């Protein structure tokens, strides 16, 4: 049922968005009106929609009543979630399979457009590791990793900037626009969006031109968000002061968490290629506090590559983000499901990843 509702939600909000646009800017009143039209439509068409969507099921009063109630419950959950997030910001780190699968890529951009058209302010920070690796191989530039971070020589950063700020960034922004939203592609160097210093690795590795974000130009982001535009950010930062012309390669997860914290976002989502945080029996842990995460690291339930992933989430929450998701980006429409399926509580679907809170 939820798949039918999400499809209907997307098509209706896109229609409402188009109808409410004036001079290219979506006002908050227009966004609220669009959601009101959509939620009313969802609720009033439940009786007609459910039998049509499930016409292959056995026909009986009990079955039909159950389907109607399920549809209505899901519609109310989505309505409550969207209402609680209207005018608030959601920051999404976009990467992994969700970027490389054409179907998942299209679904993600539709999700951004849907949330945006409901009056939710969305910021996208994207990665692009596989695309960078392919180009490095094509041009014959060697690259290696130390402590889980790419060592970034001047040549590596040049290639990363070309790939991330060029084809990858613009394709994401363009697809969001063609899906019914509004988006602008940015680099962290544009208007000094991500101001960085050279990252000093705690293990003593020289990582080259890997940047640590010192300052985020939130004025630029808020100006775009106020106009109903989603910033799509490539994580290439700029130096500070005498080093302002230096380009730094920034980890996309770190950049997303820092941006979310500086914007005091309602939610931060990290789309990954994993199901979420698992216990020692390999069962999903859908809801964790920062203290829970620390305890799970101490008892070695969380190990290896999962540690930096949960660290990005806990760092964002400690910076003031309302809650962070480590979300399975391999699930179609993972973004809109986790943002809207938890209702007003905003803790996610309970099945698509792990929600981390303070």
């Amino acid at each position: 049922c939820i798949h039918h509702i999400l499809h209907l939600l997307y098509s209706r909000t896109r229609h409402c968005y188009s109808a409410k646009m004036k001079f290219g800017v979506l006002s908050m009143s227009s966004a609220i009106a669009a959601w009101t039209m959509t939620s009313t439509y969802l609720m009033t068409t439940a009786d007609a929609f459910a039998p049509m969507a499930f016409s292959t099921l056995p026909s009986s009063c009990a079955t039909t009543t159950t389907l109607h109630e399920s549809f209505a419950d899901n519609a109310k959950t989505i309505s409550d979630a969207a209402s609680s997030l209207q005018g608030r910001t959601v920051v999404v780190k976009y990467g992994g399979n969700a970027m490389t699968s054409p179907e998942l890529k299209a679904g993600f951009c539709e999700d951004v457009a849907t949330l945006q058209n409901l009056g939710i302010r969305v910021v996208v920070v994207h990665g692009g590791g596989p695309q960078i690796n392919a180009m490095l191989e094509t041009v014959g530039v060697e690259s290696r990793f130390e402590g889980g971070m790419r060592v970034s020589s001047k040549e590596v950063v040049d290639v990363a900037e070309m790939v991330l700020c060029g084809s990858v960034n613009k394709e994401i922004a363009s697809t969001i626009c063609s899906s019914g939203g509004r988006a602008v592609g940015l680099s962290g160097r544009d208007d000094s969006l991500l101001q960085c210093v050279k990252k000093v690795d705690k293990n003593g590795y020289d990582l080259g031109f890997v940047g640590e974000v010192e300052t985020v130009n939130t004025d630029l982001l808020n100006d775009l968000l106020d106009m109903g535009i989603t910033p799509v950010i490539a994580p290439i930062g700029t130096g500070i002061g005498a080093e302002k012309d230096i380009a730094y390669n920034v980890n996309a997860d770190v950049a997303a968490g820092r941006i979310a914290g500086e914007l005091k976002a309602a939610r931060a989502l990290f789309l990954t290629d994993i199901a979420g945080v698992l216990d020692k029996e390999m069962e999903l842990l859908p809801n964790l506090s920062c203290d829970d995460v620390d305890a799970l690291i101490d008892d070695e339930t969380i190990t290896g590559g999962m540690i930096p992933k949960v660290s990005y989430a806990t760092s964002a929450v400690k910076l003031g983000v309302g809650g962070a998701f480590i979300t399975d980006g391999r699930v179609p429409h993972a973004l809109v499901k986790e943002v809207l399926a938890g209702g007003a509580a905003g803790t996610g679907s309970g099945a698509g990843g792990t929600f981390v809170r303070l």
Side-chain angles (χ1 to χ4, degrees):
C1 187
I2 191 70
H3 295 287
H4 294 284
I5 292 176
L6 292 173
H7 176 73
L8 181 60
L9 179 66
Y10 168 67
S11 61
R12 289 294 297 179
T13 52
R14 184 174 183 181
H15 171 74
C16 293
Y17 176 77
S18 299
K20 292 292 179 179
M21 287 295 291
K22 185 175 183 181
F23 304 118
V25 177
L26 177 67
S27 68
M28 182 53 62
S29 61
S30 296
I32 292 173
W35 170 246
T36 301
M37 292 169 64
T38 303
S39 58
T40 301
Y41 183 84
L42 283 168
M43 297 301 291
T44 57
T45 58
D47 286 345
F49 180 78
M52 176 184 68
F54 295 90
S55 58
T56 59
L57 295 175
S59 176
S60 71
C61 291
T63 300
T64 302
T65 299
T66 301
L67 291 174
H68 290 178
E69 290 174 352
S70 175
F71 185 94
D73 289 344
N74 285 330
K76 184 179 185 304
T77 297
I78 293 171
S79 175
D80 289 344
S83 296
S84 70
L85 289 171
Q86 277 181 347
R88 304 181 72 188
T89 301
V90 172
V91 176
V92 188
K93 187 271 178 171
Y94 177 45
N97 280 335
M99 282 187 68
T100 57
S101 162
E103 294 79 12
L104 293 175
K105 186 187 304 182
F108 172 81
C109 292
E110 289 176 1
D111 288 356
V112 173
T114 295
L115 295 178
Q116 186 188 69
N117 295 345
L118 292 174
I120 300 171
R121 297 152 62 99
V122 183
V123 177
V124 175
V125 182
H126 65 83
Q131 294 90 331
I132 293 172
N133 290 337
M135 184 58 71
L136 288 172
E137 184 175 349
T138 298
V139 299
V141 174
E142 293 187 2
S143 174
R144 72 182 195 279
F145 286 81
E146 296 286 1
M149 301 287 288
R150 187 191 296 273
V151 177
S152 298
S153 65
K154 175 68 166 59
E155 293 76 19
V156 168
V157 175
D158 286 345
V159 171
E161 184 171 19
M162 175 177 65
V163 172
L164 295 179
C165 304
S167 58
V168 173
N169 182 266
K170 301 312 174 187
E171 181 185 17
I172 297 168
S174 176
T175 307
I176 291 171
C177 292
S178 64
S179 297
R182 300 184 68 205
V184 169
L186 298 170
S187 158
R189 301 182 75 183
D190 294 329
D191 201 18
S192 299
L193 175 56
L194 299 177
Q195 298 173 46
C196 302
V197 296
K198 180 182 171 68
K199 182 176 178 61
V200 178
D201 183 78
K202 64 180 180 180
N203 296 315
Y205 298 119
D206 183 359
L207 300 174
F209 293 96
V210 171
E212 185 166 341
V213 179
E214 286 283 301
T215 306
V216 177
N217 185 351
T218 55
D219 288 340
L220 171 62
L221 297 179
N222 281 316
D223 285 346
L224 291 169
L225 291 167
D226 288 345
M227 291 189 291
I229 298 172
T230 286
V232 178
I233 302 168
I236 298 293
T238 186
I240 300 172
E243 298 182 342
K244 65 182 179 180
D245 292 327
I246 294 177
Y248 283 103
N249 191 11
V250 182
N251 180 282
D253 294 283
V254 174
R258 183 61 185 272
I259 289 169
E262 294 294 331
L263 290 174
K264 296 297 183 286
R267 296 288 182 269
L269 287 90
F270 300 88
L271 293 183
T272 70
D273 290 338
I274 56 175
V277 180
L278 307 179
D279 64 18
K280 291 184 176 180
E281 285 70 47
M282 303 305 291
E283 296 292 330
L284 177 67
L285 296 170
N287 200 309
L288 296 172
S289 69
C290 291
D291 289 341
D292 292 334
V293 170
D294 291 338
L296 291 169
I297 292 174
D298 289 341
D299 74 7
E300 297 186 346
T301 298
I302 298 176
T303 59
M306 179 57 72
I307 293 177
K309 294 182 189 299
V310 296
S311 297
Y312 303 141
T314 56
S315 295
V317 171
K318 290 174 181 178
L319 283 170
V321 177
F325 295 89
I326 301 171
T327 303
D328 192 345
R330 299 168 299 178
V331 176
H333 295 288
L335 171 58
V336 78
K337 286 178 181 176
E338 292 310 300
V339 172
L340 299 180
T347 55
S349 67
T354 300
F355 178 74
V356 179
R357 66 191 189 284
L358 191 60

